[in-house]
Amino acid sequence: MHRSASRLTRVLACAAVPVILTVAGCSSDSGKDSGSGGDKKSKASAPAKPSGKATAALEKAAFATLPDPCKSVQTKTIETLVPQAKDKNGTATKSNDLTARASCSWNGLDEDGLKGSQYRWLSISLIRYESHPSLGSANKRAEDQYNKQVGIAKAAEGAHDVKAEAADGIGDQATSVVYGVKKDVDFFNTTIVARTQNVVVTLDYNGAAYEGAGAPDQAKLLQDAITAAKEAVASVGAAGEQPKQPEQQASPSPQ
């Protein structure tokens, strides 16, 4: 009986050993996990390393605002292009943001008794773009709009004898598009599309003759339109100029 009890004691003692080792092992593993978790936490809180791919900064838009479109062309120019204009001050189109989109138009019928009448219509549209991370630089967006407007002018409804060519000396790039449109009488149209930095200027000028008057001179219509377009582009530059800061007087040096 004594021998059996002694043997049972040894068996229980041996059986307890693995349990103790197991617990110790778990405690040791738990410590490693805790250390590992701490490493992960420190890695997560560490600042991310730069990828090495620097994002190109977009250029700042050259012009931050637009001129008043109805004042973008001189009064004497309006008198030349649109004789007997109904409103020499022009009619502005409503816009939600006049610093981004603005336009103005003039029209008039110059009657000359038995010699008939001459009709003229002039419109100036200004669109300004800002640089945008997902849309591109201000100048590139303006260039895309410029190309779009040239395409629209070339594809004008009812246009015939369309002729497009570069117009030198107007902004950074410009195109003139001339064509005729047959309505109740023959209309002769001229469109000048110009880009100056981040602003696109579209000038439409057309004329027609009534009651036996001679047809408008297309070459003169084009030249007059170019003159007005140059003034409109210049007004964009003037509106975008930053006011000069007054020079500070040098303070007297201490004696």
Side-chain angles (χ1 to χ4, degrees):
M1 186 70 178
H2 177 74
R3 182 180 299 174
S4 298
S6 177
R7 182 180 180 184
L8 178 59
T9 301
R10 289 196 302 271
V11 170
L12 291 175
C14 291
V17 172
V19 175
I20 295 172
L21 292 176
T22 302
V23 172
C26 292
S27 175
S28 175
D29 290 342
S30 175
K32 290 180 180 179
D33 289 342
S34 176
S36 174
D39 291 341
K40 290 179 180 178
K41 184 177 180 181
S42 62
K43 290 179 181 178
S45 61
K49 294 182 179 180
S51 62
K53 297 180 179 179
T55 303
L58 290 174
E59 64 185 4
K60 185 178 179 180
F63 302 121
T65 190
L66 291 174
D68 180 341
C70 294
K71 296 180 180 179
S72 62
V73 176
Q74 298 178 26
T75 301
K76 63 179 182 179
T77 302
I78 296 299
E79 293 174 350
T80 299
L81 271 64
V82 190
Q84 302 302 316
K86 291 181 180 179
D87 185 352
K88 292 183 179 180
N89 294 321
T91 302
T93 302
K94 292 182 179 180
S95 172
N96 293 328
D97 185 359
L98 291 173
T99 66
R101 287 176 177 268
S103 62
C104 188
S105 63
W106 299 258
N107 71 85
L109 184 65
D110 185 12
E111 300 178 333
D112 192 13
L114 298 176
K115 294 182 180 180
S117 304
Q118 292 285 344
Y119 174 79
R120 296 292 185 271
W121 183 81
L122 172 68
S123 172
I124 297 175
S125 173
L126 310 171
I127 303 178
R128 186 185 65 84
Y129 290 91
E130 290 281 359
S131 293
H132 192 284
S134 62
L135 300 176
S137 71
N139 282 12
K140 180 59 170 62
R141 296 179 66 195
E143 186 174 0
D144 291 342
Q145 177 65 18
Y146 164 82
N147 291 326
K148 179 181 178 181
Q149 289 299 119
V150 172
I152 291 174
K154 289 180 179 179
E157 183 178 358
H160 61 80
D161 300 323
V162 179
K163 182 180 180 182
E165 59 185 11
D168 298 330
I170 309 176
D172 296 307
Q173 56 185 150
T175 298
S176 67
V177 183
V178 297
Y179 56 91
V181 175
K182 181 68 175 179
K183 297 182 180 179
D184 51 340
V185 295
D186 288 323
F187 273 77
F188 298 95
N189 294 262
T190 300
T191 299
I192 306 292
V193 183
R195 180 183 70 83
T196 174
Q197 299 278 18
N198 59 311
V199 175
V200 177
V201 177
T202 303
L203 182 146
D204 291 305
Y205 182 47
N206 65 58
Y210 288 92
E211 300 172 348
D217 184 335
Q218 285 184 294
K220 187 176 187 307
L221 289 178
L222 175 58
Q223 189 55 53
D224 287 344
I226 289 175
T227 297
K230 288 181 177 180
E231 291 181 9
V233 168
S235 73
V236 172
E241 289 180 354
Q242 297 296 329
K244 295 182 179 180
Q245 298 296 329
E247 295 182 1
Q248 295 183 352
Q249 294 183 350
S251 55
S253 58
Q255 297 296 326

